[in-house]
C-alpha cells in the first residue's frame, strides 16, 4: 500500500500519450502513423476535404481536390516508380473521366479514362511520334480509329485489341493505297491494292499477300514462232499464277520486249554463219533456255507506240529502233531500280515505246518488226562449199559433226564468190532469233519483279510453209 502511494515510484513509470489526431477543420499538416503518407491541406470533420497535397514516401504525390477523405475531383498525380504524370479527373483515387497522361518514356494520352485505364475516345501519341485518335477499350486501341505511323503511313478503320482488324484503308507514304479487310494487323480477305508503281490488285488477300498474284510471264503461241521475213507480227502475253491460271486480278505492270539473234546460226536456217559485233558495240552474249546464245537485236515498232501526236522532236519517226542497251538490261530482272531507259524523244511520263501495260493479266505487243541488222553488227556468210556439204550429208551417217564453217568477209555491199552482189539488207536475215519479255515495273510491285521469259523465233523466207528438220548435230551449238 505504501509502495503504491509512493510518489517517487509513480514518477518512474513511462508517460503514455494519446496518438496525435488529424486536424478537424481548416488547414493542417498530418503525418500518418506508418510514415508513408503525409498530407498538407484542407480538412473538414477530421477528413481531407478541399484542396490539398498528399505525399508518398517513395516520392510519388497527388495534388488536387479531396472529398470526404478520398482523392476525387480535379488533380494531378505523379508516380515515382513509373515516372508518369496524370492531370485530370479522379474518382476514389483512380484517374477517371477526362485527363492527360504524360509518359516518362515519351508520348502522351489525352482523352477518357476509367479506373486508370484508357477507355472511350482519346488521342495517343507514343514515344516514336506515332499518333492514334479514336476509340479505346481496356487501355488498348479498340473500335474505330485512325493512326499515323512513324514512316508516314496512315490508317483509318477498325481496331481490335491494338491490332487492325475488320475494314480499313491504309494510305502509304510511298503513294500506295489498300482498301479492304484486315485481320491480325495484315491484309486479309477481300481488298483492293493500288501500288505506287501503278499496279492494281483487286481480290483476295491471305496473311498480307495477294492470293492470286502473278508469278510468271507467259508468251502465248507455238513453242517456236515462225514469221515471214519483213512481216510485222503481234505477241500476246499473259501473267499467270503458279497453277497456270491467268492473274486477272492484276493490272498495270509494265512489260518490256526486246530481241536477240542467235550468235552462231545453223546452215539449215540461214545463209549467215554468225554475227559479229564491232569493237565499239561489243557485249556479252545472252544465254537462252533453248541451248544457244544470242546477241541483242533491234526491234522496230509503229509510231502509235511512240511519242504523242504533234511531238516537235525532229528525231521522232514512225519506226523507233531499240539498240543493244534495251536487251542488255532485260535479262536480270533484279537490275531494274526504277530509273528506266526512257528515250530522249519520248515526252515526259510516257512509257518507252517497247513497253506495254498489263490489263487484267494480259498484254499485247502489236506490229513488231525485226529490222535490218544495226551498223555495228556484221553478218558473215557461209561458204557455198560448206552449205553443199550440209545439204548433201548422207542420212544416218556415222561421220562426226561438221566443224563450224569458215566465214567470208562481212556482208557490206560486196560480191559473193559466184560474182553476185550482196546488197545491204533491208530486213532481218533468215535465221533464228529470240524474243524476251521482262517486267520493268518501277518500283517493283510488292518488292519483286517477275522473271524474264523467252520465245524462240524463226524468220522464214516468203513462200516457205515450214522449216526443214534440224539435224541432231546442230540442235545445240
Amino acid at each position: 500500500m505504501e509502495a503504491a502511494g509512493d510518489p517517487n515510484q509513480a514518477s518512474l513509470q513511462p508517460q503514455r500519450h494519446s496518438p496525435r489526431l488529424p486536424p478537424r477543420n481548416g488547414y493542417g499538416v498530418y503525418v500518418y502513423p506508418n510514415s508513408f503518407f503525409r498530407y498538407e491541406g484542407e480538412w473538414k470533420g477530421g477528413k481531407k476535404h478541399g484542396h490539398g497535397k498528399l505525399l508518398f514516401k517513395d516520392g510519388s504525390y497527388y495534388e488536387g481536390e479531396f472529398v470526404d477523405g478520398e482523392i476525387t475531383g480535379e488533380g494531378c498525380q505523379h508516380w515515382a516508380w513509373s515516372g508518369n504524370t496524370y492531370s485530370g479527373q479522379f474518382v476514389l483515387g483512380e484517374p477517371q473521366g477526362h485527363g492527360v497522361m504524360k509518359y516518362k518514356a515519351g508520348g502522351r494520352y489525352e482523352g477518357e479514362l476509367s479506373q486508370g485505364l484508357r477507355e472511350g475516345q482519346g488521342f495517343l501519341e507514343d514515344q516514336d511520334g506515332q499518333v492514334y485518335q479514336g476509340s479505346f477499350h481496356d487501355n488498348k486501341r479498340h473500335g474505330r480509329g485512325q493512326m499515323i505511323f512513324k514512316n508516314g503511313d496512315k490508317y483509318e478503320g477498325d481496331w481490335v485489341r491494338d491490332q487492325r482488324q475488320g475494314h480499313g484503308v491504309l494510305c502509304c507514304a510511298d503513294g500506295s493505297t489498300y482498301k479492304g479487310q484486315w485481320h491480325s494487323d495484315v491484309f486479309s480477305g477481300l481488298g483492293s491494292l493500288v501500288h505506287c508503281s501503278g499496279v492494281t490488285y483487286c481480290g483476295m488477300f491471305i496473311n498480307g499477300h495477294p492470293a492470286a498474284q502473278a508469278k510468271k510471264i507467259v508468251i502465248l503461241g507455238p513453242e517456236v514462232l515462225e514469221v515471214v521475213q519483213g512481216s510485222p507480227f503481234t505477241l500476246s502475253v499473259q501473267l499467270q499464277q503458279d497453277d497456270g491460271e491467268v492473274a486477272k486480278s492484276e493490272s498495270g505492270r509494265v512489260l518490256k520486249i526486246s530481241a536477240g539473234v542467235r550468235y552462231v546460226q545453223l546452215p539449215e536456217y540461214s545463209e549467215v554463219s554468225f554475227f559479229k559485233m564491232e569493237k565499239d558495240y561489243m557485249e556479252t552474249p545472252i544465254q537462252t533456255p533453248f541451248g544457244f546464245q544470242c546477241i541483242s537485236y533491234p526491234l522496230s515498232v509503229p509510231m502509235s507506240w511512240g511519242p504523242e501526236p504533234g511531238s516537235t522532236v525532229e528525231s521522232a519517226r514512225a519506226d523507233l529502233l531499240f539498240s543493244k542497251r534495251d536487251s542488255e538490261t532485260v535479262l536480270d530482272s533484279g537490275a531494274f531500280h526504277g530509273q528506266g531507259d526512257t528515250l530522249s524523244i519520248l515526252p515526259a511520263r510516257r512509257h518507252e515505246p517497247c513497253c506495254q501495260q498489263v490489263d487484267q493479266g494480259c498484254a499485247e505487243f502489236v506490229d513488231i518488226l525485226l529490222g535490218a541488222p544495226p551498223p555495228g553488227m556484221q553478218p558473215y556468210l557461209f561458204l557455198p562449199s560448206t552449205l553443199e556439204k550440209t545439204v548433201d550429208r548422207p542420212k544416218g551417217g556415222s561421220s562426226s559433226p561438221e566443224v563450224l564453217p569458215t566465214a567470208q568477209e562481212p556482208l557490206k555491199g560486196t560480191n559473193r564468190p559466184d560474182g553476185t552482189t550482196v546488197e545491204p539488207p533491208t530486213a532481218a536475215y533468215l535465221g533464228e532469233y529470240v524474243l524476251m519479255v521482262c517486267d520493268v515495273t518501277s518500283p517493283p510491285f510488292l518488292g519483286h519483279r517477275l522473271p524474264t521469259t523467252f520465245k524462240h523465233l524463226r524468220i522464214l523466207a516468203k513462200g516457205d510453209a515450214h522449216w526443214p528438220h534440224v539435224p541432231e548435230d546442230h540442235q545445240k551449238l
Side-chain angles (χ1 to χ4, degrees):
M1 295 293 294
E2 293 180 355
D6 188 347
N8 293 329
Q9 287 290 100
S11 64
L12 295 177
Q13 296 294 325
Q15 296 182 3
R16 295 182 180 180
H17 300 279
S18 300
R20 181 182 176 186
L21 297 176
R24 292 290 299 174
N25 296 294
Y27 182 88
V29 177
Y30 180 68
V31 178
Y32 285 79
N34 60 12
S35 300
F36 189 80
F37 301 102
R38 180 181 184 274
Y39 175 76
E40 180 178 349
E42 296 178 327
W43 298 82
K44 182 179 180 181
K47 295 182 180 180
K48 301 181 292 292
H49 191 91
H51 188 275
K53 186 173 184 178
L54 182 65
L55 302 173
F56 300 80
K57 195 171 185 178
D58 66 352
S60 302
Y61 67 85
Y62 167 82
E63 183 173 5
E65 296 178 345
F66 290 82
V67 175
D68 291 333
E70 296 290 346
I71 296 175
T72 297
E74 293 286 337
C76 175
Q77 183 165 1
H78 173 75
W79 291 269
W81 60 271
S82 67
N84 299 336
T85 301
Y86 171 76
S87 299
Q89 297 175 331
F90 287 81
V91 174
L92 299 178
E94 295 284 357
Q96 184 153 329
H98 188 275
V100 177
M101 181 78 76
K102 296 182 179 179
Y103 303 99
K104 180 182 179 181
R108 61 191 289 270
Y109 171 77
E110 181 174 358
E112 299 173 326
L113 298 98
S114 179
Q115 297 182 343
L117 301 178
R118 297 186 290 263
E119 186 76 27
Q121 295 295 309
F123 173 92
L124 175 64
E125 180 179 2
D126 67 15
Q127 61 188 23
D128 296 320
Q130 301 184 126
V131 175
Y132 171 84
Q133 185 170 7
S135 179
F136 289 86
H137 175 65
D138 198 22
N139 217 42
K140 298 181 183 297
R141 293 164 291 184
H142 190 92
R144 294 288 297 181
Q146 52 185 320
M147 184 164 181
I148 301 176
F149 297 86
K150 62 181 179 181
N151 64 354
D153 293 353
K154 299 179 182 179
Y155 172 81
E156 183 172 1
D158 298 327
W159 296 78
V160 174
R161 299 186 63 81
D162 264 351
Q163 291 189 326
R164 291 167 288 186
Q165 189 158 314
H167 186 275
V169 178
L170 176 68
C171 298
C172 300
D174 65 4
S176 302
T177 301
Y178 171 80
K179 182 178 182 179
Q181 298 297 311
W182 294 73
H183 190 275
S184 300
D185 224 29
V186 297
F187 310 156
S188 188
L190 289 176
S192 62
L193 174 65
V194 180
H195 192 252
C196 58
S197 63
V199 178
T200 61
Y201 175 89
C202 299
M204 184 67 68
F205 288 80
I206 299 176
N207 294 328
H209 301 283
Q213 185 180 353
K215 296 295 185 180
K216 56 187 176 182
I217 306 171
V218 176
I219 301 175
L220 303 182
E223 184 175 348
V224 178
L225 181 63
E226 297 181 340
V227 176
V228 174
Q229 185 181 34
S231 299
F233 58 95
T234 294
L235 208 62
S236 296
V237 178
Q238 287 183 349
L239 302 188
Q240 295 184 0
Q241 305 171 48
D242 285 330
D243 59 3
E245 290 292 322
V246 180
K248 294 182 179 180
S249 300
E250 194 174 302
S251 297
R253 281 191 193 262
V254 180
L255 302 182
K256 179 179 179 179
I257 187 170
S258 60
V261 60
R262 182 167 181 164
Y263 187 56
V264 179
Q265 291 286 336
L266 302 180
E268 287 82 358
Y269 299 142
S270 179
E271 62 181 351
V272 176
S273 62
F274 67 95
F275 291 87
K276 180 181 179 182
M277 300 299 295
E278 292 181 358
K279 184 177 180 180
D280 293 340
Y281 295 87
M282 288 298 293
E283 64 174 272
T284 303
I286 302 166
Q287 186 61 49
T288 73
F290 311 120
F292 58 81
Q293 293 181 327
C294 68
I295 51 179
S296 60
Y297 194 89
L299 281 176
S300 179
V301 297
M303 185 63 182
S304 59
W305 286 22
E308 296 278 5
S311 173
T312 59
V313 184
E314 294 181 359
S315 57
R317 55 191 175 92
D319 285 344
L320 302 174
L321 296 181
F322 305 107
S323 65
K324 147 188 172 180
R325 182 180 176 209
D326 294 314
S327 292
E328 285 178 336
T329 56
V330 163
L331 293 182
D332 183 6
S333 60
F336 298 96
H337 298 287
Q339 301 302 317
D341 300 327
T342 306
L343 301 179
S344 60
I345 62 175
L346 296 181
R349 300 182 64 81
R350 280 182 61 83
H351 296 303
E352 297 179 68
C354 54
C355 297
Q356 292 288 354
Q357 272 195 327
V358 173
D359 182 24
Q360 296 184 352
C362 300
E364 270 194 342
F365 295 90
V366 181
D367 292 338
I368 307 167
L369 184 67
L370 291 180
M377 183 179 290
Q378 299 178 0
Y380 283 73
L381 283 176
F382 279 102
L383 289 176
S385 58
T386 308
L387 288 173
E388 292 175 3
K389 290 181 181 179
T390 304
V391 174
D392 297 336
R393 172 183 288 183
K395 295 183 180 180
S398 59
S399 58
S400 60
E402 284 288 348
V403 179
L404 288 177
T406 304
Q408 294 178 312
E409 289 300 314
L411 302 176
K412 287 187 177 179
T414 58
N415 295 329
R416 296 175 181 265
D418 60 5
T420 60
T421 301
V422 180
E423 297 296 336
T426 57
Y429 285 97
L430 306 183
E432 295 185 281
Y433 296 78
V434 174
L435 297 173
M436 294 162 280
V437 176
C438 67
D439 179 6
V440 294
T441 306
S442 179
F445 181 52
L446 300 180
H448 299 282
R449 286 195 174 95
L450 302 177
T452 299
T453 190
F454 298 78
K455 173 66 74 172
H456 195 167
L457 173 68
R458 288 181 185 146
I459 300 298
L460 300 166
K462 294 181 180 179
D464 285 354
H466 57 81
W467 283 96
H469 171 69
V470 183
E472 293 184 357
D473 295 340
H474 293 286
Q475 285 294 325
K476 294 183 180 181
L477 293 178

